[in-house]
Amino acid sequence: MLRLLGSLGRSCCSSAKSGFKIQPSCISKIWFGPMPKDSNWIKPGRLHYIENDVEKQVDIIKTIDGVVVILYNKAREKLIFVRQFRGAVYQGIHSAGSPDMSKGEADLEQFPPEVGVTLELCGGAVDKDKSLAEIAKEEVLEECGYEVPTESLQHVYDYRSGIGTSSSAMSLFYCEVCDAQKVSAGGGIGEERIQVLEMSLEESRQLVQTGATTNGGPSCLLGLLWFFQHKAPKVLA
Amino acid sequence: MLRLLGSLGRSCCSSAKSGFKIQPSCISKIWFGPMPKDSNWIKPGRLHYIENDVEKQVDIIKTIDGVVVILYNKAREKLIFVRQFRGAVYQGIHSAGSPDMSKGEADLEQFPPEVGVTLELCGGAVDKDKSLAEIAKEEVLEECGYEVPTESLQHVYDYRSGIGTSSSAMSLFYCEVCDAQKVSAGGGIGEERIQVLEMSLEESRQLVQTGATTNGGPSCLLGLLWFFQHKAPKVLA
């Protein structure tokens, strides 16, 4: 229970610190069940190996590679984020306090859907036969509504996520945009419900102050630290 | 094939840049198989939800929470890292070029075990009923051989890893150590085979230069960027 409260506290704390409020969710029901064998997203497996004559195993999943984009509207000095409901985050927080509740309906009073709403940088899956920069460019348009040339995507880092269990290849980019490139509202494609959010540099800097907490992933913190070190106006870096 | 070469290139490139050489592996065989239903590490599941009257699903896994420690020997100006074989990273690189090779024996000539050896900060799983700082303190001792008081662990960030699929809670700490606290060689406990590695600040800074590539996770890059912003001698920051 202590850990559960800790997790909830983290999310609330983060929102309060960053100055934006979590909006009412449009999610009316959440429930858990078994993963089907033909999942499109996750392929589980076991890797066996012999190290120093000792046989070892590790259970792993194959997931999809991804791109992440630090998006900066330079003229207006705003960083652009996305928010969305992440089932894995919701489940992680939900199961921390009640590890036996892996199946059945979630308790939305104790765990409102908002605890699974993350603050992230723009990004998406590498699920097309295109260059990473082209995929990043498409995500910038689909999620945030900016039409940018591929050349404006600066490569920042390549790394692997979830190295203990999944290890997809991740590529982080930086991209400056201007209002003239804003061609749509963004928000994702199809059934995606992604909220676009602009933050001032001062608000963004609070997200990465020492001691900060987020229910988003490390890529957002990483991208922000890199931005403040390399791109932010010096008075704020 | 292009992506495969890209992945391999990333690892080699990273090692060359950082100045350390990947040592001959003690791993003699690697093979893949199905994940058993009773895995201790991964619990797969599907989360269903109704958003704006549309039923949606996401496949997720439950994994174990973790701690990560930026470890700095201040007197000698060395950052302390660990290296280990990560099955998930190996599989991720292996499967990128040959997506149909999810089962069977790995080709160690084309994919030597070294491609799965990561460079990471000290860290470990939250699998005991202790405070996060106490667990971090134990990992510092077990992996790196430094006996430190819990009070010397400074909390840096809380975040969630793998927010698309797994979302374990991660806590990043900073800890300064001195040679007098070095009580053992480290290297892990039981069958763990963890190599401890010291790097100069200049070598470490190259790891996070713009355009860098690592087969480790974002936590290491994040910890290093935070360190250079807040703790490194100013001439190097």
Side-chain angles (χ1 to χ4, degrees):
Chain A
M1 195 59 185
L2 264 175
R3 288 199 54 77
L4 163 65
L5 288 171
S7 299
L8 278 171
R10 290 177 182 188
S11 312
C12 301
C13 188
S14 169
S15 307
K17 272 185 192 161
S18 68
F20 71 85
K21 290 191 177 64
I22 287 176
Q23 296 179 350
S25 170
C26 303
I27 292 173
S28 53
K29 184 180 174 186
I30 299 173
W31 67 104
F32 306 103
M35 190 177 84
K37 284 186 179 173
D38 61 346
S39 169
N40 284 330
W41 300 290
I42 292 178
K43 310 287 183 197
R46 173 167 280 193
L47 182 142
H48 307 253
Y49 60 107
I50 293 176
E51 186 174 34
N52 293 314
D53 299 324
V54 177
E55 184 179 330
K56 301 179 178 182
Q57 297 87 28
V58 59
D59 289 338
I60 56 181
I61 56 167
K62 187 176 174 188
T63 51
I64 301 171
D65 295 345
V67 295
V68 178
V69 186
I70 309 158
L71 210 55
Y72 180 48
N73 189 315
K74 197 170 181 176
R76 290 197 288 108
E77 293 194 351
K78 299 275 187 187
L79 280 158
I80 298 155
F81 298 83
V82 294
R83 295 178 70 221
Q84 60 188 308
F85 175 77
R86 289 288 199 175
V89 171
Y90 184 85
Q91 188 271 348
I93 292 171
H94 191 283
S95 68
S98 316
D100 57 336
M101 283 193 63
S102 56
K103 292 178 184 177
E105 195 167 336
D107 180 348
L108 296 193
E109 286 203 13
Q110 195 180 358
F111 301 93
E114 288 76 9
V115 304
V117 175
T118 56
L119 180 73
E120 305 172 34
L121 296 174
C122 170
V126 178
D127 52 5
K128 308 174 194 107
D129 189 19
K130 297 184 174 180
S131 75
L132 295 174
E134 281 168 337
I135 288 171
K137 165 196 160 81
E138 287 183 2
E139 293 295 339
V140 169
L141 177 62
E142 290 169 7
E143 291 197 344
C144 300
Y146 287 92
E147 177 89 58
V148 298
T150 315
E151 300 73 44
S152 68
L153 285 146
Q154 178 186 358
H155 175 250
V156 178
Y157 294 133
D158 284 327
Y159 49 93
R160 304 195 76 88
S161 75
I163 52 178
T165 51
S166 54
S167 178
S168 59
M170 300 295 295
S171 294
L172 177 66
F173 291 90
Y174 171 69
C175 181
E176 289 178 2
V177 295
C178 62
D179 287 340
Q181 292 171 318
K182 182 87 175 174
V183 296
S184 73
I189 54 172
E191 291 298 338
E192 285 185 320
R193 291 288 173 271
I194 292 168
Q195 183 190 349
V196 186
L197 190 78
E198 290 189 350
M199 272 199 219
S200 71
L201 297 184
E202 183 49 39
E203 280 177 308
S204 305
R205 202 161 58 94
Q206 287 177 27
L207 294 174
V208 288
Q209 67 191 359
T210 302
T213 289
T214 173
N215 68 350
S219 291
C220 183
L221 295 169
L222 178 64
L224 287 176
L225 278 188
W226 180 86
F227 171 82
F228 283 109
Q229 189 171 335
H230 294 283
K231 299 291 180 181
K234 284 303 162 201
V235 63
L236 276 162
Chain B
M1 193 60 184
L2 263 174
R3 288 196 54 78
L4 162 65
L5 289 172
S7 299
L8 279 171
R10 291 177 182 188
S11 313
C12 302
C13 188
S14 169
S15 309
K17 272 186 193 160
S18 68
F20 72 85
K21 290 189 179 64
I22 287 176
Q23 297 179 348
S25 171
C26 304
I27 292 173
S28 52
K29 185 180 172 185
I30 299 173
W31 67 105
F32 306 103
M35 192 177 84
K37 285 186 178 172
D38 62 346
S39 169
N40 284 330
W41 299 292
I42 292 178
K43 311 287 183 196
R46 172 168 281 195
L47 182 142
H48 307 253
Y49 60 108
I50 294 176
E51 186 175 34
N52 294 314
D53 298 325
V54 177
E55 184 179 328
K56 301 179 178 182
Q57 298 87 28
V58 58
D59 290 339
I60 54 180
I61 57 167
K62 186 175 175 192
T63 53
I64 300 171
D65 295 345
V67 294
V68 178
V69 186
I70 309 157
L71 210 54
Y72 180 48
N73 190 316
K74 196 170 181 177
R76 289 197 288 109
E77 293 194 351
K78 298 277 187 185
L79 281 159
I80 298 155
F81 298 83
V82 295
R83 295 178 70 221
Q84 59 188 307
F85 175 77
R86 290 288 198 175
V89 172
Y90 184 85
Q91 189 272 348
I93 292 171
H94 191 283
S95 69
S98 315
D100 55 338
M101 284 193 62
S102 56
K103 291 178 184 176
E105 196 167 335
D107 180 348
L108 296 194
E109 286 203 12
Q110 194 181 356
F111 300 94
E114 288 75 10
V115 304
V117 175
T118 57
L119 180 73
E120 305 172 33
L121 296 175
C122 170
V126 178
D127 52 5
K128 307 175 194 105
D129 190 18
K130 297 183 174 180
S131 75
L132 295 174
E134 281 168 337
I135 288 170
K137 165 196 159 81
E138 288 183 2
E139 292 295 341
V140 169
L141 177 61
E142 290 169 8
E143 291 197 343
C144 300
Y146 286 92
E147 176 88 58
V148 298
T150 316
E151 300 73 43
S152 68
L153 285 147
Q154 178 186 0
H155 174 250
V156 178
Y157 294 132
D158 284 327
Y159 49 93
R160 304 195 76 89
S161 75
I163 53 178
T165 51
S166 55
S167 177
S168 59
M170 299 295 294
S171 294
L172 177 66
F173 291 91
Y174 171 68
C175 181
E176 290 177 3
V177 295
C178 61
D179 287 340
Q181 292 172 317
K182 181 87 175 173
V183 297
S184 72
I189 53 172
E191 291 298 338
E192 285 185 320
R193 291 288 174 270
I194 292 168
Q195 183 190 349
V196 186
L197 191 78
E198 291 189 349
M199 273 199 220
S200 71
L201 297 183
E202 183 49 39
E203 280 176 308
S204 306
R205 202 161 57 94
Q206 286 178 29
L207 295 173
V208 288
Q209 66 190 1
T210 302
T213 289
T214 172
N215 68 349
S219 292
C220 183
L221 295 168
L222 178 63
L224 288 175
L225 278 189
W226 179 87
F227 171 83
F228 282 110
Q229 189 171 334
H230 294 282
K231 299 291 180 180
K234 283 304 164 203
V235 64
L236 276 161

